[in-house]
């Protein structure tokens, strides 16, 4: 095994198994999945593991990530979760479906689709209370009417996104509201909406508890697949792997030192005046990883190592009872922010821990 440090070890087989279990579960009630790859920067082998696990679409918020996956040979339909007006031309060229909330943007997509002699599919997102993206239910009818009049655009579905900004829980009430909107629109415009995308990893509890999922037939799921949890309380989903990603860093110093700094305490490197609890001398371990890679609060040590603090390039750990030496490796699990940050850091090597990465690149 390559010993580059720091590195993030990625188990593709665990990601594939997580996807399989979730696909089977959701498909049991007729819900297809979009596997969301934005937290892993559209890493093609992870997308491939999701496809092998049964997702029907791959969704990402960034066109760059979608291009990376397409260039690596992933041939699933792609959905773009966030649609900037300025990228309309490239979106039409490279993406099958985009999620939309502004008619100006849909007009621009239509313009380029016509020019490229293509049809572009849109999912129109509805605001159901979370106050991130979405057309207000009151404006939806007009939005659909205008969209239907645009050439080379097909409304493939309707969706909503909860629990992302406002932390609003997907429940029977807001999901029923989405289903009712679908019924009304189909009747008013004599259309069939193929995809009714009810949300993300936060929809797990609603799905498990709901007697009637109504018209919802799709979810866009990232974190559940990658980290094995739902996202309202970060509770484990039974049967899923929670450690498909492991961050490994190197000990660069291990010494017995005081627990309170010596001298007058002023601002630290980030403008905070730190406070300290005097616990006497103890073993302090420094690892070569810092805020430039990840916030220490987004890490969880696999060996109950307590994190004392961090600066740009160093994280200090309480090394009592651990016997760590220079050059030793320390392993951490990551939360979603930690995953996002370390996957984005150019200093953290990505290593596939089991090599069924042979399918792509
Ligand atoms: C990020 C995102 C998702 C996926 O969210 P998870 O919590 O990772 O499942 C779904 N839909 C939209 C619009 C998103 O931006």
């Amino acid at each position: 095994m390559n010993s580059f440090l720091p590195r993030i070890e990625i188990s593709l087989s665990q990601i594939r198994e997580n996807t399989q279990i979730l696909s089977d579960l959701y498909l049991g009630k007729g819900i297809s999945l979009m596997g969301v790859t934005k937290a892993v920067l559209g890493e093609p082998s992870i997308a491939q593991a999701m496809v092998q696990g049964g997702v029907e679409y791959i969704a990402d918020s960034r066109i760059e990530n979608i291009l990376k996956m397409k260039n690596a040979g992933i041939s699933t339909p792609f959905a773009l979760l966030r649609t900037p007006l300025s990228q309309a031309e490239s979106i039409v060229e490279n993406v099958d479906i985009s999620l939309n909330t502004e008619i100006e943007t849909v007009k621009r997509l239509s313009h380029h689709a016509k020019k490229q002699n293509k049809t572009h599919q849109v999912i129109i997102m509805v605001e159901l209370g979370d106050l991130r993206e979405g057309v207000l239910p009151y404006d939806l009818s007009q939005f659909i009417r205008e969209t239907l009049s645009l050439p080379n655009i097909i409304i493939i579905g309707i969706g909503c996104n909860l629990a992302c900004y406002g932390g609003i829980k997907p429940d029977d009430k807001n999901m029923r509201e989405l289903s009712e909107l679908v019924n009304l629109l189909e009747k008013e415009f004599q259309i069939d909406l193929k995809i009714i995308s009810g949300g993300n990893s936060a929809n797990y509890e609603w799905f498990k508890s709901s007697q009637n999922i109504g018209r919802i037939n799709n979810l866009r799921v990232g974190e559940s697949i990658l980290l094995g949890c739902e996202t309202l309380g970060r509770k484990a989903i039974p049967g899923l792997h929670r450690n498909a990603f492991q961050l490994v860093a190197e000990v660069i110093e291990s010494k017995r030192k005081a627990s309170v700094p010596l001298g007058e305490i002023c601002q630290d490197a980030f403008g905070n005046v730190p406070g300290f609890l005097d616990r006497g001398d103890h073993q302090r371990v420094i690892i070569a990883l810092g805020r430039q890679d990840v916030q220490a609060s987004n890490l969880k040590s696999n060996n109950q190592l307590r994190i004392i603090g961090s600066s740009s390039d160093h994280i200090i750990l309480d090394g009592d009872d651990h016997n760590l030496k220079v050059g030793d490796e320390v392993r951490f699990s990551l939360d979603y922010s930690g995953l996002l940050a370390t996957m984005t850091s150019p200093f953290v090597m990505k290593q596939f821990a089991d090599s069924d990465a042979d399918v792509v690149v």
Side-chain angles (χ1 to χ4, degrees):
M1 179 163 288
N2 189 334
S3 65
F4 189 95
L5 292 158
R7 64 175 181 269
I8 181 161
E9 294 179 359
I10 306 168
S11 168
L12 293 173
S13 60
Q14 292 188 11
I15 294 167
R16 191 176 56 230
E17 282 167 28
N18 282 0
T19 315
Q20 242 150 18
I21 291 172
L22 286 171
S23 295
D24 290 349
L25 176 76
Y26 285 120
L27 272 177
K29 287 195 203 169
I31 290 183
S32 69
L33 293 185
M34 293 188 181
V36 176
T37 47
K38 67 188 183 203
V40 293
L41 271 66
E43 175 57 50
S45 48
I46 294 178
Q48 185 71 13
M50 290 181 176
V51 172
Q52 290 167 344
V55 302
E56 220 166 289
Y57 312 82
I58 291 288
D60 204 288
S61 51
R62 317 261 170 171
I63 188 118
E64 294 87 345
N65 292 345
I66 290 180
L67 282 173
K68 196 198 294 182
M69 294 184 273
K70 285 184 79 155
N71 289 338
I74 310 277
S75 56
T76 323
F78 284 98
L80 186 66
L81 296 169
R82 190 194 68 171
T83 307
L85 180 78
S86 66
Q87 295 176 356
E89 184 172 9
S90 169
I91 291 167
V92 166
E93 195 179 326
N94 296 297
V95 180
D96 308 281
I97 303 170
S98 62
L99 274 53
N100 285 278
T101 61
E102 288 286 357
I103 199 69
E104 283 311 305
T105 308
V106 182
K107 282 181 183 162
R108 189 74 68 90
L109 291 167
S110 164
H111 168 81
H112 287 290
K114 190 151 184 256
K115 250 171 73 180
Q116 294 176 28
N117 200 17
K118 273 187 160 178
T119 49
H120 182 72
Q121 302 171 328
V122 295
I123 292 178
I124 296 167
M125 297 297 281
V126 189
E127 171 62 63
L128 288 180
D130 201 55
L131 295 184
R132 204 180 71 181
E133 72 273 41
V135 177
L136 292 165
Y138 177 84
D139 297 326
L140 197 54
S141 201
Q142 177 62 20
F143 196 107
I144 301 271
R145 181 172 302 111
E146 282 190 61
T147 304
L148 286 171
S149 75
L150 295 171
N152 302 63
I153 291 285
I154 291 177
I155 304 175
I156 185 124
I158 294 283
C160 76
N161 195 59
L162 298 171
C164 259
Y165 168 73
I168 296 301
K169 180 178 175 175
D171 57 19
D172 271 339
K173 185 167 175 289
N174 44 42
M175 287 300 108
R176 197 177 322 121
E177 191 178 348
L178 187 64
S179 290
E180 279 164 9
L181 283 169
V182 171
N183 291 336
L184 285 173
L185 294 169
E186 286 188 341
K187 207 162 149 210
E188 179 177 355
F189 296 104
Q190 297 294 308
I191 51 175
D192 275 325
L193 294 168
K194 185 173 154 218
I195 300 177
I196 319 297
S197 193
N200 50 46
S201 294
N203 283 59
Y204 176 77
E205 268 183 33
W206 158 78
F207 174 84
K208 289 293 278 184
S209 65
S210 184
Q211 302 299 317
N212 179 3
I213 60 164
R215 298 288 310 269
I216 313 301
N217 65 12
N218 177 267
L219 292 173
R220 311 170 305 274
V221 174
E223 185 166 348
S224 292
I225 292 175
L226 301 169
L227 298 179
C229 61
E230 54 80 47
T231 54
L232 290 176
R234 299 295 182 311
K235 290 199 265 306
I237 295 177
L240 298 198
H241 302 282
R242 301 218 56 191
N243 295 319
F245 296 83
Q246 292 276 288
L247 183 64
V248 189
E250 174 184 4
V251 174
I252 55 169
E253 181 184 306
S254 178
K255 291 188 195 307
R256 244 185 120 66
K257 292 189 188 179
S259 46
V260 175
L262 300 171
E264 189 184 344
I265 294 175
C266 297
Q267 287 188 357
D268 66 11
F270 298 94
N272 309 306
V273 178
F276 299 93
L277 193 69
D278 194 352
R279 322 166 29 222
D281 284 6
H282 70 135
Q283 194 69 23
R284 293 167 75 90
V285 169
I286 300 176
I287 54 173
L289 191 73
R291 291 199 200 185
Q292 188 151 30
D293 310 293
V294 66
Q295 296 282 339
S297 57
N298 300 131
L299 305 177
K300 203 173 128 219
S301 158
N302 292 3
N303 313 308
Q304 274 84 47
L305 272 162
R306 196 171 63 86
I307 294 166
I308 295 175
S310 67
S311 58
S312 306
D313 310 296
H314 301 77
I315 292 177
I316 308 165
L317 305 166
D318 183 348
D320 277 349
D321 312 321
H322 287 280
N323 193 27
L324 285 165
K325 306 181 301 296
V326 174
D328 282 352
E329 293 185 353
V330 181
R331 306 176 76 85
F332 299 92
S333 301
L334 299 157
D335 65 12
Y336 191 74
S337 306
L339 179 65
L340 194 64
T342 47
M343 287 300 292
T344 309
S345 172
F347 303 105
V348 179
M349 201 202 74
K350 285 89 201 168
Q351 183 178 77
F352 296 97
D354 39 20
S355 57
D356 40 5
D358 49 347
V359 200
V360 275
V361 212

